[in-house]
Amino acid sequence: MPRRADVAVIGGGPAGSTMASLLARDGHAVVLLEKDGHPRFHIGESLLPHNMKIIREMGLEDRLAGLGVFKPGADFTGDDAEEQRHEIRFDEALDVPEGCGHAWQVRRSEFDRMLFEHAAESGARTFEGARVRHIDFDADEPELTVTHSGGEHRLAVRFVVDASGRDALLARRFDLQRRNREHGTAALYGHFRNVPRREGEAAGNISIYWFEHGWIWMIPLADGVMSVGAVCNPEYLRQRGRDVERFFFDTIALNPHAAERMKAAEPASPITATGNYSYFSSRLMGSRWLLVGDAGMFVDPVFSSGVFFAMYSASLGADVVRAELAGDARAAAAARRRYRRKVRRGVRELCWFIYRFPAPAMRHLFLNPRNVFGLRQAVISVLAGDLHDNGRVRRRIRLFRLVYLLLSLRYLPGAIRARRQRRHNAAMGFDHAA
């Protein structure tokens, strides 16, 4: 391990590897530190179409196509016994950028390794099994204490990027992490075989099913594997007992359409329970450091936004680091403002949908869409990751919110119950060992 570098990037997931690739390509000396080793299992296998802009910028389109399942859209299904399903295609969105009319489903172990290896190919020094034990910001340059290969190392750098995911290394150290008082969920998930895919071009769709206590995802992966998970109210998941597999299938059975697809399913991995608690950081940056991806905030996996936000925040944050390394105070200040504004705006737009996803009015709008004034297209744009700059989308989403508010009056008792449940979930949280 070198003794000094321009930038230390902590975390070798999508955010860290993207940041390291972009900066190393510029000629900066970058050290990328991953505490585990690749490949490693990770949930969150569904990409968004606006991921493709960054993938294309990194020159990884062909490589991604070789390991992913083509994702043209998504479908949403209610929990009524009668068939109630609606499909969206991403190429129907407003103002679709070139190459962003689709996405991919990926095994995160393979996808993350691809990005990590690309960082090394771009010139970054990459280290696996490297744990950052301490960072001293009091010196002239930040100094990291890192354990690697049985030894302890000192690494002096000019800038630190925290891409440590939900470890949130710097947010915890500086006491920046704030629990989201509006939202909180937990999840059960695993990989399965013998789960049929949709027919025809929709075979690569992500499928979403509502049920009484939350929602279910099905994501088709390569080699006939289906990623299946249930995002639940924490109170419900605490009832699971010792037989997690049986509880999982009992949960799937709460939606008859999901149960039908899973009737011959065979587990291809252990079934895991986890707390998907939601949090934000009160600050995303400071003197000589920046938070990207889940190290700064985590919301909910419902719209598959995790990898997109990770890579988007890294791409945007690379401009902050470049300006800082160049010593251009004015450009750095502008880049910081832009980073803060765009990251916060994108999360805020998506959170509005996430918070209301279980509400009866939102179910009705997703299952009975109308494209009056382009509202359906605008919603598809949001689900595709068009969250930051498109004024045409933002104006229509404001109108969609008004329609949702008016429709909620029709479902007022259910809307009140959904809001109370959301607040209760956020207050309760989830203990993995409970």
Side-chain angles (χ1 to χ4, degrees), residues 46-84:
S46 197
L47 307 186
L48 297 186
H50 279 248
N51 271 114
M52 299 308 297
K53 291 190 291 187
I54 305 170
I55 292 291
R56 187 165 58 249
E57 180 185 353
M58 297 171 70
L60 293 173
E61 283 181 292
D62 292 341
R63 204 179 304 185
L64 176 60
L67 61 87
V69 172
F70 187 82
K71 175 186 173 183
D75 52 72
F76 300 86
T77 307
D79 55 1
D80 295 339
E82 296 182 6
E83 180 65 20
Q84 190 180 20

Side-chain angles (χ1 to χ4, degrees), residues 257-415:
H257 310 294
E260 177 65 22
R261 285 183 77 180
M262 290 287 288
K263 64 183 180 182
E266 297 178 358
S269 76
I271 295 174
T272 302
T274 185
N276 279 316
Y277 59 88
S278 179
Y279 59 82
F280 300 99
S281 294
S282 56
R283 294 166 58 203
L284 294 175
M285 61 196 76
S287 176
R288 299 175 295 182
W289 59 267
L290 179 74
L291 310 182
V292 295
D294 287 353
M297 61 189 71
F298 177 83
V299 187
D300 188 287
V302 62
F303 295 126
S304 306
S305 60
V307 174
F308 170 67
F309 271 129
M311 298 183 70
Y312 179 80
S313 64
S315 177
L316 199 62
D319 289 338
V320 175
V321 183
R322 291 180 182 116
E324 293 282 357
L325 295 179
D328 188 334
R330 179 176 294 181
R336 286 175 178 269
R337 287 193 299 271
R338 181 170 176 264
Y339 180 82
R340 187 183 300 110
R341 182 184 74 253
K342 290 202 170 190
V343 169
R344 298 284 193 199
R345 175 192 288 169
V347 171
R348 186 170 61 247
E349 292 287 350
L350 202 60
C351 278
W352 187 89
F353 282 91
I354 289 171
Y355 294 166
R356 292 157 182 82
F357 189 64
M362 190 63 76
R363 290 195 196 194
H364 178 89
L365 289 170
F366 267 80
L367 295 173
N368 302 277
R370 299 290 184 271
N371 198 40
V372 179
F373 302 119
L375 295 188
R376 179 176 179 273
Q377 288 178 282
V379 171
I380 295 174
S381 295
V382 169
L383 301 185
D386 193 352
L387 300 164
H388 303 93
D389 300 311
N390 193 328
R392 290 196 343 130
V393 171
R394 287 203 304 273
R395 287 190 294 273
R396 285 164 175 78
I397 291 301
R398 292 191 191 103
L399 180 57
F400 179 87
R401 291 184 181 189
L402 176 60
V403 172
Y404 168 83
L405 179 62
L406 295 174
L407 187 61
S408 294
L409 298 177
R410 172 180 167 186
Y411 295 101
L412 190 58

